[in-house]
Amino acid sequence: MLDDTQTSAATAARPKDSLGCLSSHLYRDLELDTGEFRFHRKCTRDNKASAVAMHGSERGFLIGVSLKTGHRRRIFSGHRWTSHDFEQDSIYIRDFADDYKADLQSGFDFVLIELSRAFMANACYERSGASVPRLAPLAGHKDPVLGHLAQVLALTLDRQSEASPLFVEQLGVTIGTHLLDRYGNAPPQSEKKSRRLSSLQEARAKDMLLAKSQDNVSIEEIASACNLSRSYFIHAFRETTHRTPHQWLLERRIDRARDLLKHSDYSLSEIAIACGFSDQSHFTRIFSQWVGVPPGAWRRQACN
């Protein structure tokens, strides 16, 4: 029988992931790393208790969003601790610079967003002129906005082969902006102030979106060409066109696909590639969502 010292040593020797979770407890463990942002889906199969312990580092900030109700954890600070219950859309915020120790007293299903310190510093400076980003640590706080974005991220992580880099970048910037506005040291910008692109900026942005295939253009490139920050550009583009850049580009691709379906003999797989979709199944799924019927059915109706 193992004594306490042997048990502790055995536990410490068990493999852990990059966030301190015991890998053996996870039945779903997904990751999408863009450099600036790292998105995770961590899910346990049962309610086994586990623990997380990590030393401070310069990795940046971690935001966890619970996808379901029922998780409970005890977070330690020195010799003190606090307990937190997580419902669906409950979040926690960690600064990786701080040591972290927590007992996870039940199972969980979380989307986790890791934002690099460099990204947060740049975003903070763009919004307020402050050079040092700060996010107030918290746990168990409900945030429906992040809850909605986490659901989108969960679907994106499940279909990484179809994930648009443009869309993923938009998500990361949107999440970082929301965090700074609501929990950080950057004063929120007035929503009443009009933020629209000039006609020249709008034309330049649309030209750049259309000129690059397969989303090989970044929000940062387009915003820089318009002499704007990324967060400002995304808001201004949406206010000007009533679409996010990714939505606007998808509409153009769907329009192009409809034209080819009606006026060409290309196969569905050829149209999918010509319009910038990853494959025929991706094209069929997106076309059906936007138009309401699959492309094959739409072609038959349009050509009758």
Side-chain angles (χ1 to χ4, degrees):
M1 186 170 181
L2 297 177
D3 60 25
D4 289 343
T5 302
Q6 291 172 311
T7 300
S8 298
T11 300
R14 296 168 70 181
K16 294 190 175 185
D17 66 10
S18 63
L19 299 178
C21 296
L22 284 172
S23 299
S24 59
H25 282 191
L26 300 172
Y27 87 91
R28 181 171 291 180
D29 187 8
L30 305 173
E31 180 178 323
L32 177 58
D33 188 355
T34 72
E36 287 184 306
F37 322 114
R38 185 178 294 169
F39 304 117
H40 307 264
R41 174 86 180 271
K42 306 280 184 181
C43 184
T44 57
R45 192 182 300 277
D46 49 43
N47 277 323
K48 285 183 180 179
S50 58
V52 172
M54 294 180 67
H55 293 298
S57 70
E58 290 300 311
R59 282 170 61 177
F61 298 88
L62 181 69
I63 300 86
V65 187
S66 182
L67 296 179
K68 66 180 184 180
T69 297
H71 177 60
R72 182 178 178 83
R73 70 176 55 192
R74 182 166 56 184
I75 301 174
F76 294 87
S77 178
H79 297 293
R80 300 181 179 181
W81 53 265
T82 54
S83 289
H84 304 274
D85 293 305
F86 287 78
E87 302 177 14
Q88 182 176 334
D89 299 342
S90 293
I91 72 168
Y92 70 81
I93 298 176
R94 277 176 54 190
D95 186 337
F96 277 118
D98 302 324
D99 292 346
Y100 186 79
K101 182 180 178 183
D103 288 336
L104 312 185
Q105 299 175 323
S106 58
F108 55 85
D109 188 357
F110 271 84
V111 164
L112 300 120
I113 304 111
E114 184 176 342
L115 302 174
S116 71
R117 197 164 295 277
F119 163 75
M120 291 298 287
N122 289 335
C124 188
Y125 183 78
E126 288 173 354
R127 297 187 71 72
S128 69
S131 58
V132 181
R134 293 187 180 86
L135 292 177
L138 54 81
H141 174 79
K142 289 202 73 170
D143 189 319
V145 172
L146 286 178
H148 172 72
L149 294 172
Q151 294 289 344
V152 175
L153 273 172
L155 292 173
T156 303
L157 285 163
D158 282 338
R159 295 184 172 130
Q160 291 191 39
S161 62
E162 299 176 2
S164 157
L166 187 72
F167 179 62
V168 172
E169 186 182 11
Q170 279 180 197
L171 272 178
V173 172
T174 300
I175 290 168
T177 300
H178 175 75
L179 288 165
L180 286 170
D181 282 351
R182 185 157 186 187
Y183 306 108
N185 58 338
Q189 297 180 356
S190 172
E191 294 299 324
K192 295 181 180 180
K193 183 179 178 181
S194 176
R195 288 185 284 177
R196 294 176 61 86
L197 298 175
S198 69
S199 57
L200 180 61
Q201 289 171 327
E202 181 182 358
R204 181 174 295 164
K206 290 178 177 179
D207 285 346
M208 291 182 71
L209 285 167
L210 291 173
K212 301 288 186 80
S213 63
Q214 298 292 341
D215 296 319
N216 290 327
V217 63
S218 70
I219 295 294
E220 185 171 13
E221 287 179 273
I222 302 173
S224 178
C226 295
N227 294 316
L228 299 172
S229 71
R230 282 188 300 183
S231 59
Y232 188 100
F233 168 76
I234 290 172
H235 284 286
F237 189 96
R238 185 166 51 203
E239 190 163 324
T240 304
T241 67
H242 307 292
R243 299 286 186 272
T244 67
H246 181 253
Q247 288 170 337
W248 184 88
L249 184 58
L250 271 184
E251 283 190 346
R252 304 291 76 74
R253 288 177 172 173
I254 294 297
D255 288 344
R256 170 69 171 152
R258 279 192 282 212
D259 183 63
L260 291 173
L261 286 166
K262 189 173 183 179
H263 299 110
S264 81
D265 294 326
Y266 290 172
S267 67
L268 295 185
S269 60
E270 289 173 326
I271 292 174
I273 299 304
C275 294
F277 297 96
S278 58
D279 53 35
Q280 182 178 331
S281 64
H282 182 212
F283 168 52
T284 299
R285 183 171 62 82
I286 298 299
F287 189 96
S288 300
Q289 289 174 351
W290 281 74
V291 180
V293 294
W298 188 92
R299 170 180 259 173
R300 290 190 292 272
Q301 294 170 6
C303 294
N304 284 340

